[in-house]
Amino acid sequence: MAERDVSPWRRFLALPNESRTKTILVAFLVSAICGAFVSLATVYLRPIQTANRAAEEQARIEALVQGIPGMAGILAQSGGVLSTVVIDLASGRVADGIAPDALENALADPGNWTPLDPAEDLAGLGHRPDFVQVFLLRSADEVSLILLPLSGQGYGGRIDAILALRGDTNTIAGLTITQHSETPGLGGRIDEASWQASFPGTELRDAAGEMRFRVAGGPASGVHEVDGITGATRTGRGVTQMVRFWLGPNGYGPFLQAIERGEF
């Protein structure tokens, strides 16, 4: 009499293929093995996927910033890794729950704008957004360059600009005008590279921390001044007030203080 095979595995294999038990167990084993392979692949590929997403985000940010006239050269000189963040102007910290791609929808809500008292509204805006997207260039884990959107009123209407500020939060690396309605040949010269070339190296505040930046009435006479434009006094005053407002307590002041504390 043949010895009975007591091996569960052999007994399982000996079952007919039509057996419901065998079909269910085979399906379970195949699913378990496939699930294990998928889990292993996910664990292995996660760092690669994360790196790819980071590279795509970096490329998107760089393309956005380098599309701003004059910024590509400033970035090339500074080096580092560029990132972007939406900040809450009142606190100077990262805006809670508002990503860059959601900023437009957030600012469509009138409740996300702050009315400005005439005495503090140096830039003539009437109200300012509560949240702004800024760009940071990092080198050796430190912020080396800060790109800040600015807006204000000139002689002919609204002026929009991007100010590049060194990591010391006091030295201007450059400024580019992105939109204006100033008089051609006069105030309209603010979009000329020759005038914007006087901004790099200009300091915003003196040793006591007092805001001293200004567009001069003529050639700059100190480290806190940039050249004025002949016949465009009101345009120059508008740029002066725009920079002073946005770099002050009602603009990026709290954010710049957070950078100085090493919170970014």
Side-chain angles (χ1 to χ4, degrees), residues 77-233:
Q77 292 173 10
S78 301
V81 179
L82 190 64
S83 62
T84 185
V85 66
V86 175
I87 61 168
D88 182 328
L89 289 176
S91 67
R93 303 179 187 278
V94 176
D96 185 22
I98 302 180
D101 57 2
L103 179 59
E104 184 176 354
N105 288 336
L107 294 183
D109 180 356
N112 288 330
W113 291 75
T114 295
L116 298 170
D117 183 271
E120 63 189 15
D121 188 14
L122 302 179
L125 298 172
H127 54 277
R128 64 133 174 88
D130 292 340
F131 311 108
V132 180
Q133 181 181 10
V134 301
F135 299 87
L136 302 175
L137 195 69
R138 300 179 187 277
S139 180
D141 295 327
E142 293 185 353
V143 175
S144 58
L145 196 70
I146 311 156
L147 304 185
L148 305 171
L150 312 180
S151 58
Q153 288 295 318
Y155 173 70
R158 181 179 171 120
I159 297 174
D160 293 324
I162 300 290
L163 179 73
L165 198 61
R166 294 294 178 195
D168 63 5
T169 72
N170 192 53
T171 306
I172 296 177
L175 176 134
T176 183
I177 302 296
T178 57
Q179 181 176 317
H180 71 85
S181 302
E182 301 304 280
T183 307
L186 294 173
R189 292 177 56 200
I190 60 174
D191 62 10
E192 294 180 1
S194 57
W195 180 72
Q196 296 175 18
S198 66
F199 277 81
T202 303
E203 296 181 6
L204 298 170
R205 299 175 177 83
D206 60 21
E210 181 180 354
M211 176 63 72
R212 295 284 304 280
F213 171 85
R214 68 185 289 263
V215 177
S221 60
V223 70
H224 303 104
E225 294 185 350
V226 298
D227 295 338
I229 297 175
T230 303
T233 303

Side-chain angles (χ1 to χ4, degrees), residues 3-4 7 10 18 27 41 46 52 56 58 64 68 98 115 117 130 144 167 177 183 193 203 251:
E3 184 180 352
R4 184 179 179 185
S7 169
R10 290 183 179 179
E18 295 79 8
R46 185 176 292 121
N52 288 340
E56 291 173 358
Q58 179 71 13
L64 177 61
I68 303 170
I98 302 180
D117 183 271
D130 292 340
S144 58
I177 302 296
T183 307
E203 296 181 6

